[in-house]
Amino acid sequence: MMVGRVLGGRGLLVPGSMVGRRGAVAVQTRLSGGHAVDPNNVTKVTPYEVDLMKVHQKVMTNPTLRSSTDARNEKLKWKRNIPVHGNTLHRNFDDIKHSTLTERGALREAIRCLRCADAPCQKSCPTSIDVKAFISCIANQNYYKAAQMILSDNPVGLTCGMVCPVSDLCVGSCNLAATEEGPINIHGLQQFAVERFFEMNIPATEGEKYHIAGDAKNRRIALVGAGPASISCATFLARMGYKDVTIYERNHFPGGLSATEIPGYRLSMNAVLQEVKIMQDLGVKIKFGMSLGQDFTVESLRADGYDAVFVGIGLPKAKIDKVFAASPPGFHTSKSFLPDVNYASKSCGSCSVGCDPDPKEAELPKLSGNVVVLGAGDTAFDCATSAFRCGAKTVTMVFRQGFGQIRAVPEETELARDEQCEFLPFAISKEVVTNDGGHVSGLRLVKTKFDENGKLVETGDHFTLDCDHIISAFGSEIDDAAAAAVKPMGLNQWGKLDVAPNTMQSSSTPWAFAGGDSAGSTITVEAANDGKTAAWHMHAYLQSEARKGQPSGIEVGPPRLPMMHTAVDDIDVSVEMAGIKFPNPFGLASAPPCTSGSMIRRAFEQGWGFAVTKTFCVDRDLITNVSPRIVRGSTNGPLYGPNQSSFMNIELITEKTLAYWVKVVEELRADFPDHPIIASIMASYTKEDWQELVAKTLPSNPHAIELNLSCPHGMGERGMGQACGQNADMVHDICSWVREAVGPEYPFFAKLTPSVTDIRAIAEAAVAGGATGVTAINTVSSLQHIDSNGLPWPRVGSENLTTYGGMSGNATRPMALKAISSIAASLPDVPIMGTGGADSADSSRQMIHAGASVVQICSSIQNEDFSVIQDYISGLQWHLYAQSRPDLRQWVGQTPPDAHASVARVKDHNLPHFGGYEVLRRKKRTEQAASESFSQSHATIGNRGAPPPASSPDRAPATVNEEIGRGLQFISNFTDMSIEEQVVAVVNPETCINCGRCYLGCNDSGYQAIEFDEDTHIPMVNDNCTGCTICASVCPVIDCITMQPREEIFPESPFMPHRGIEPEGEVVGTLAGQRDKRVNDYAPVKPGKAKKAKVDVSDVEIQSKH
């Protein structure tokens, strides 16, 4: 086995045999000599390559012969689904949920989502979270907006993402359940998005200003219990503008049952605290150590001047079978056992929500031997898995009925099954057996069955189950003290608080409301929705009270709750270009989304900043389209549904008349004066046609005109579109004709085709002819697909004919960025409208950094719908906001610098995560858990540590205009780039999944610089590495392979190109030498013209990017 050492503190493995020095840190490197060749036989495979290729993929020539015995033994070595026995998890409260996702997993899962119409997942969520929209934001790496959409509808969205019984809710209704790949992991995506938001450390602020009648905003509101129902209710009340909202909590910490009864391996305390902090950002106060029935009652709160009261308590009293009335030592109820577990294992850490100090040092309950858990609900399964962490050797779950009647959701039962709990169905407790000391030693049970009428009956067969502890989890109820303390609120026939289910308002006391367990909701998400519902109807009640005695008042109207709001949402994303003010830089391209005026109207209503009409012409040039004409791109491979990387079309310009579009522009200009409407026109190379078009268009008063000189199909055969746009002289003439027609000041843009040798020459011709600016680029001329019968797609008519069409979408983005940046560098003062593959806020930002002022969108809408604009706007707002904070400036987009580092507790770079190595890792983790404190290891959000304190803004947020061209300063000619500063690949073995793709790619597409250990499957990079980055490009794990300075990784092996045979004469091997070899009249980037960014990036640490 080849063994490497840790590099510095990075957790990176560098292979080797020769020791170098990097500061005071020893670094192993390998001097391979692998490229030494025989000059007389240069194609001969060297001994180094022969050894390197031992496990390399080869073409199969014969079947493999191996005995079944050998195969059985071999599989154990590579096994990854190694069973976990719960008795190895003593004191180990690491996250065990199958749904928890890293960023890589979240992105891969999010792109599966179909964004269904009238989405059933949203309808199945009690809090009505817009599931498809937040998943769309995750797919576009806009985690801020995803979290905002979650928390807007559900203030405890992180808790619910971790513990919701989604198989019975959103996931159970996912349309992809009808397919082989199964439903979306919605709760895992929800957890990921909200965790990432909390890492951003952005406080909540008051957003939409509610007009609250009279002095109602100062009305006093009390909430009892700091659980999910109260947190939700208080958050919504504070968002609506109520200033005096106080929660009374009996514990020294918030969270209710989320904190006391849901184990930390399913829900961390820090997740709860972050949700509470968002609530407190809005001014909600919590009074700890205040117990209902002891320190106050609902009536006393009213007497103390509170105008409304919300009761959000749990059910404090455990239901106990009369068999256990004596409660001998070794007997526990879920209401005592789970709080004891959580008091000890859930640390508040250094929380910032004002928790009172814990008056006692809690320890985990000490269990041993066999533990019996009675019950078949979610709580029973939590007790079972918690018992292992408290020392149980075996856990047996006993329930009265069969497996088909288990009330717990699959999310709970699967965890218990994975940890090898035993299950005993059809049994009822009859008697507790105790030893001489009175401690539980067994449980006598009787078997049950369903009779022919379906009634559960006892069979008379008795047996004894040896055990050392019994945990009863038969549910809970309101105790007498709580029932008395909530008066004048009454109880209903089920022993729950009597409230109207649609308003959560007390049937007998209009100023009292309730939600959660005490009101009959049995799961966290329903409790959150109870609080949400109560908040609105409490608002309606307080408004009606404030209006009493007034001659007129403010009507509450239909429910309209405010969104979660932060400083990000206040960022101005308007931009000015060519004297036109755009509310945001995102508009509809002249494409299918602008097929009609009503579509543009709907887009403006959704928030799109501007629109370019479908291209129209004089009536004598009207066209009729063929069909089919818009198809999914062949670049998508087997991916069907949304998230297509490209579309291909043979659609022409509009079929509607010039008069129609003139009317459209008139109406939209009048109804949406702040949303620029740009008229797209096309004609042949005829001055009279262009000037006639302009003369008939201008009376409608569009904000600007776009000249379509770039349609790549159909129109060129009529002498229009690309037939004009590929000729610089024709472009110049057309622009001069239009300038003559519109006058000296009116703005118009020439839309350019990418199907030219140098787009800068066409742009320069357009500007010289009088164009205000340019649009780059139109679709790319292409042939989309030919099937196995030689037939094309799309194909038209009985002759199955096709033509070269236009490709759009993400596949064209690199071409668009090249065109935009080269034009911006050559013509720094010319405004550019960018288009071509801008499918998200992040890709649109790239176009702005390349030099575009505004961005036109089409394919993204074809993949989704007009509502995607919320992702564009909020994503850009987040970027501009992040420029004001030094900590967020170090992020790459919405990803923190260390996001892809391993979160494994045990770090041993020589141990992969399979077979015996994984068993050894688990053994080390068990030893580690036995000695570490819970406050050190479990005060986390999910799997990651609590976020560091937010840094204060040290500058104003950036503006869109300041960001234009920010990336141009880094685009140069090849001969300007350094050949002295070389990098090499470094593999992080903690995140490596041992697939060997880097090894295969390097061998057959690179430089044979990666060795692959036969035993551990850990790849090791040697000094043959030239930094080409093929390995990182094919690696399936984000940032598992990063590119690091060669002098740091291989200090004794400076880079020298392997020439094969020594060169003769002078070699251009230096930067100066490269520059001396330039051909003076050829420069892909014109030097000295690129405008510098207006945003200071001097303090931004450049992150490794592949």
Side-chain angles (χ1 to χ4, degrees):
M1 182 190 304
M2 291 181 283
V3 178
R5 294 182 183 172
V6 178
L7 169 61
R10 302 184 187 186
L12 302 172
L13 182 67
V14 182
S17 57
M18 181 173 291
V19 176
R21 301 293 297 175
R22 178 176 179 254
V25 180
V27 178
Q28 287 191 327
T29 60
R30 182 184 300 283
L31 302 181
S32 66
H35 277 279
V37 298
D38 181 353
N40 297 315
N41 191 357
V42 296
T43 61
K44 179 182 179 181
V45 179
T46 66
Y48 164 77
E49 290 175 291
V50 171
D51 183 64
L52 190 70
M53 303 293 171
K54 283 189 294 187
V55 294
H56 195 275
Q57 186 76 24
K58 297 178 180 65
V59 173
M60 179 178 171
T61 56
N62 299 99
T64 301
L65 180 63
R66 183 177 56 161
S67 72
S68 297
T69 299
D70 288 344
R72 282 194 297 269
N73 293 333
E74 183 76 4
K75 75 175 182 181
L76 297 176
K77 180 178 179 180
W78 308 106
K79 196 171 181 62
R80 289 197 179 254
N81 58 339
I82 301 171
V84 177
H85 198 291
N87 61 25
T88 66
L89 297 174
H90 186 209
R91 294 177 56 84
N92 186 341
F93 285 80
D94 294 347
D95 188 341
I96 62 169
K97 299 187 300 297
H98 302 311
S99 59
T100 298
L101 296 169
T102 62
E103 184 168 3
R104 173 189 179 276
L107 291 171
R108 291 179 70 90
E109 187 69 3
I111 63 173
R112 291 205 303 124
C113 179
L114 301 179
R115 287 75 145 161
C116 304
D118 201 25
C121 51
Q122 180 176 2
K123 292 177 176 295
S124 300
C125 173
T127 57
S128 303
I129 290 173
D130 192 343
V131 175
K132 69 171 185 177
F134 91 69
I135 293 180
S136 173
C137 289
I138 292 175
N140 291 327
Q141 295 180 275
N142 185 357
Y143 310 129
Y144 168 81
K145 186 62 179 179
Q148 184 187 44
M149 300 187 78
I150 295 163
L151 295 172
S152 288
D153 267 311
N154 184 351
V156 292
L158 178 52
T159 292
C160 290
M162 291 180 167
V163 303
C164 252
V166 292
S167 59
D168 193 42
L169 301 171
C170 54
V171 173
S173 302
C174 177
N175 285 332
L176 277 173
T179 66
E180 298 89 339
E181 63 267 31
I184 297 293
N185 177 7
I186 296 172
H187 49 315
L189 292 171
Q190 181 168 321
Q191 175 185 340
F192 169 78
V194 183
E195 283 183 338
R196 178 57 56 85
F197 167 72
F198 286 142
E199 289 183 80
M200 296 173 184
N201 255 317
I202 302 175
T205 58
E206 187 176 340
E208 182 180 359
K209 305 298 182 185
Y210 269 57
H211 194 158
I212 299 177
D215 64 346
K217 68 179 180 180
N218 295 318
R219 294 293 177 98
R220 302 182 68 206
I221 302 170
L223 300 95
V224 182
S230 292
I231 293 171
S232 177
C233 184
T235 300
F236 278 108
L237 289 168
R239 286 180 192 169
M240 286 189 282
Y242 289 93
K243 303 300 183 185
D244 193 343
V245 181
T246 305
I247 298 177
Y248 289 80
E249 168 57 44
R250 67 184 177 93
N251 288 309
H252 64 280
F253 51 83
L257 300 187
S258 297
T260 60
E261 296 193 20
I262 301 178
Y265 49 84
R266 292 184 56 224
L267 174 62
S268 70
M269 189 63 192
N270 235 318
V272 176
L273 296 178
Q274 292 295 324
E275 292 167 337
V276 173
K277 183 179 180 298
I278 288 289
M279 175 188 74
Q280 291 179 315
D281 288 341
L282 300 173
V284 176
K285 301 177 287 293
I286 306 177
K287 292 187 176 182
F288 294 105
M290 300 293 291
S291 182
L292 178 67
Q294 296 181 15
D295 301 297
F296 65 93
T297 64
V298 169
E299 286 184 315
S300 72
L301 291 174
R302 181 69 168 176
D304 287 342
Y306 285 101
D307 298 285
V309 176
F310 177 84
V311 178
I313 60 173
L315 301 174
K317 181 182 178 182
K319 293 180 179 178
I320 302 177
D321 191 297
K322 61 182 180 181
V323 172
F324 308 105
S327 298
F331 174 77
H332 317 261
T333 70
S334 61
K335 301 301 288 188
S336 62
F337 175 68
L338 287 176
D340 285 347
V341 172
N342 288 334
Y343 289 149
S345 62
K346 279 191 172 183
S347 168
C348 285
S350 55
C351 78
S352 57
V353 301
C355 299
D356 286 347
D358 191 349
K360 64 180 184 300
E361 287 293 329
E363 293 184 358
L364 282 177
K366 291 182 172 59
L367 304 184
S368 60
N370 183 40
V371 174
V372 170
V373 176
L374 304 174
D378 295 332
T379 302
F381 281 86
D382 279 341
C383 289
T385 49
S386 293
F388 277 130
R389 287 154 179 82
C390 296
K393 295 304 179 185
T394 62
V395 174
T396 304
M397 299 196 68
V398 178
F399 35 98
R400 303 179 182 189
Q401 303 181 65
F403 286 100
Q405 290 74 46
I406 289 177
R407 291 181 291 107
V409 294
E411 292 84 351
E412 293 271 16
T413 59
E414 287 170 7
L415 294 179
R417 185 192 62 218
D418 289 348
E419 295 183 4
Q420 301 184 45
C421 290
E422 302 293 336
F423 301 98
L424 180 58
F426 292 110
I428 292 178
S429 305
K430 283 298 182 181
E431 180 184 359
V432 177
V433 180
T434 59
N435 59 22
D436 293 341
H439 193 281
V440 168
S441 62
L443 180 63
R444 284 187 57 76
L445 303 113
V446 62
K447 290 185 178 180
T448 62
K449 69 175 184 179
F450 290 115
D451 64 17
E452 60 274 12
N453 297 316
K455 181 180 179 181
L456 189 70
V457 297
E458 297 180 7
T459 66
D461 296 329
H462 291 77
F463 63 99
T464 300
L465 183 64
D466 292 337
C467 61
D468 301 281
H469 295 270
I470 299 171
I471 303 173
S472 171
F474 286 139
S476 52
E477 58 191 356
I478 291 180
D479 59 17
D480 294 339
V486 297
K487 291 180 178 179
M489 301 177 74
L491 303 183
N492 59 25
Q493 58 183 318
W494 299 284
K496 305 298 192 295
L497 293 176
D498 189 13
V499 293
N502 293 329
T503 65
M504 309 313 294
Q505 191 170 19
S506 171
S507 305
S508 59
T509 313
W511 48 266
F513 298 78
D517 276 354
S518 60
S521 294
T522 58
I523 55 177
T524 301
V525 68
E526 289 182 351
N529 197 54
D530 289 349
K532 176 183 182 179
T533 303
W536 176 260
H537 292 285
M538 187 182 292
H539 166 66
Y541 164 75
L542 293 173
Q543 287 286 84
S544 66
E545 290 295 298
R547 289 196 302 269
K548 286 182 178 178
Q550 296 183 3
S552 63
I554 306 299
E555 293 297 327
V556 175
R560 187 175 56 88
L561 291 165
M563 298 278 286
M564 188 192 83
H565 187 275
T566 76
V568 171
D569 306 303
D570 296 324
I571 299 297
D572 180 11
V573 291
S574 64
V575 60
E576 188 170 325
M577 180 192 73
I580 305 169
K581 180 72 174 291
F582 295 77
N584 64 67
F586 308 114
L588 306 184
S590 177
C594 287
T595 296
S596 68
S598 63
M599 294 173 70
I600 300 175
R601 175 178 293 275
R602 287 192 290 110
F604 282 172
E605 290 171 348
Q606 295 276 348
W608 287 88
F610 69 100
V612 186
T613 68
K614 200 84 158 69
T615 301
F616 56 92
C617 58
V618 293
D619 287 355
R620 58 183 171 273
D621 290 330
L622 280 171
I623 60 91
T624 299
N625 277 303
V626 298
S627 63
R629 61 182 180 273
I630 304 174
V631 300
R632 62 184 292 274
S634 58
T635 60
N636 302 301
L639 176 65
Y640 291 85
N643 288 305
Q644 298 295 305
S645 66
S646 67
F647 291 91
M648 190 270 196
N649 82 88
I650 52 174
E651 179 167 289
L652 303 182
I653 62 175
T654 184
E655 296 173 322
K656 295 181 172 63
T657 62
L658 187 156
Y660 171 85
W661 286 108
V662 167
K663 183 63 174 172
V664 165
V665 172
E666 285 178 355
E667 292 180 5
L668 294 175
R669 181 73 197 247
D671 294 346
F672 299 92
D674 297 328
H675 293 256
I677 181 75
I678 299 170
S680 175
I681 61 175
M682 178 188 287
S684 61
Y685 184 60
T686 306
K687 180 176 181 179
E688 291 74 19
D689 286 356
W690 282 104
Q691 293 194 340
E692 178 187 347
L693 257 177
V694 170
K696 291 181 176 180
T697 301
L698 283 179
S700 64
N701 197 24
H703 291 80
I705 291 175
E706 182 178 86
L707 316 183
N708 187 336
L709 304 175
S710 47
C711 181
H713 50 271
M715 304 309 295
E717 298 162 25
R718 302 172 178 225
M720 303 179 183
Q722 189 169 279
C724 298
Q726 290 178 319
N727 185 300
D729 291 336
M730 295 172 75
V731 170
H732 177 277
D733 290 346
I734 292 170
C735 290
S736 66
W737 299 336
V738 172
R739 175 54 66 199
E740 181 181 309
V742 300
E745 302 296 332
Y746 188 84
F748 72 88
F749 292 76
K751 188 171 186 178
L752 307 183
T753 174
S755 300
V756 292
T757 302
D758 189 347
I759 200 169
R760 294 173 300 180
I762 307 298
E764 289 167 358
V767 173
T772 308
V774 297
T775 301
I777 56 175
N778 208 326
T779 55
V780 179
S781 184
S782 59
L783 179 64
Q784 196 56 32
H785 181 72
I786 300 176
D787 72 14
S788 59
N789 293 314
L791 295 175
W793 184 251
R795 54 182 176 267
V796 177
S798 58
E799 295 184 74
N800 294 318
L801 298 180
T802 194
T803 188
Y804 300 120
M807 183 176 68
S808 63
N810 291 354
T812 69
R813 189 190 309 141
M815 291 173 268
L817 289 172
K818 192 263 184 182
I820 294 166
S821 61
S822 61
I823 294 169
S826 298
L827 302 168
D829 298 319
V830 173
I832 300 170
M833 292 196 284
T835 186
D839 71 330
S840 65
D842 184 68
S843 53
S844 299
R845 176 209 39 86
Q846 294 178 49
M847 288 192 174
I848 292 170
H849 281 173
S853 297
V854 297
V855 182
Q856 299 179 13
I857 315 295
C858 170
S859 295
S860 175
I861 299 169
Q862 293 180 164
N863 267 317
E864 298 193 40
D865 51 65
F866 285 143
S867 67
V868 74
I869 184 60
Q870 62 189 338
D871 167 51
Y872 283 88
I873 293 174
S874 67
L876 181 57
Q877 286 178 316
W878 191 93
H879 171 76
L880 299 177
Y881 168 84
Q883 307 313 303
S884 70
R885 278 180 40 183
D887 55 342
L888 295 182
R889 286 199 294 272
Q890 306 306 320
W891 288 37
V892 178
Q894 295 187 25
T895 301
D898 64 342
H900 307 302
S902 171
V903 295
R905 296 281 186 204
V906 176
K907 290 182 170 59
D908 189 324
H909 305 318
N910 298 319
L911 296 178
H913 296 268
F914 57 76
Y917 298 111
E918 177 62 19
V919 173
L920 183 54
R921 277 184 176 272
R922 293 180 183 179
K923 180 180 178 182
K924 290 187 175 186
R925 176 67 190 118
T926 300
E927 295 169 352
Q928 183 180 2
S931 59
E932 68 185 358
S933 69
F934 291 112
S935 60
Q936 290 176 326
S937 62
H938 303 299
T940 63
I941 300 179
N943 277 337
R944 301 182 61 81
S951 64
S952 300
D954 61 355
R955 63 180 68 160
T959 66
V960 177
N961 280 100
E962 290 172 340
E963 292 284 301
I964 296 171
R966 180 174 173 178
L968 292 176
Q969 58 190 309
F970 302 111
I971 302 173
S972 73
N973 295 305
F974 183 89
T975 49
D976 291 324
M977 295 189 290
S978 171
I979 59 175
E980 281 86 20
E981 299 172 271
Q982 296 286 339
V983 297
V984 294
V986 178
V987 180
N988 181 350
E990 286 300 318
T991 58
C992 177
I993 62 172
N994 315 108
C995 67
R997 287 312 316 170
C998 55
Y999 162 76
L1000 297 172
C1002 184
N1003 283 340
D1004 285 4
S1005 300
Y1007 296 85
Q1008 301 81 53
I1010 298 179
E1011 302 171 28
F1012 195 61
D1013 189 277
E1014 291 182 78
D1015 293 320
T1016 65
H1017 278 192
I1018 294 176
M1020 302 182 184
V1021 181
N1022 63 39
D1023 70 334
N1024 285 328
C1025 180
T1026 66
C1028 75
T1029 321
I1030 288 174
C1031 57
S1033 300
V1034 299
C1035 178
V1037 180
I1038 304 173
D1039 281 353
C1040 177
I1041 300 177
T1042 54
M1043 310 310 293
Q1044 306 291 340
R1046 184 182 183 93
E1047 67 270 16
E1048 295 183 5
I1049 307 304
F1050 298 111
E1052 297 192 12
S1053 178
F1055 176 71
M1056 286 294 293
H1058 293 284
R1059 305 291 185 188
I1061 296 176
E1062 288 301 309
E1064 298 178 3
E1066 182 181 356
V1067 177
V1068 183
T1070 65
L1071 184 60
Q1074 282 201 150
R1075 289 171 176 164
D1076 290 342
K1077 292 290 183 177
R1078 284 177 174 167
V1079 177
N1080 292 330
D1081 61 351
Y1082 178 78
V1085 178
K1086 293 186 178 180
K1089 287 192 175 184
K1091 51 189 172 185
K1092 296 293 184 180
K1094 299 172 185 174
V1095 176
D1096 181 16
V1097 296
S1098 59
D1099 68 336
V1100 177
E1101 179 182 348
I1102 305 299
Q1103 302 296 325
S1104 171
K1105 185 71 176 173
H1106 61 74

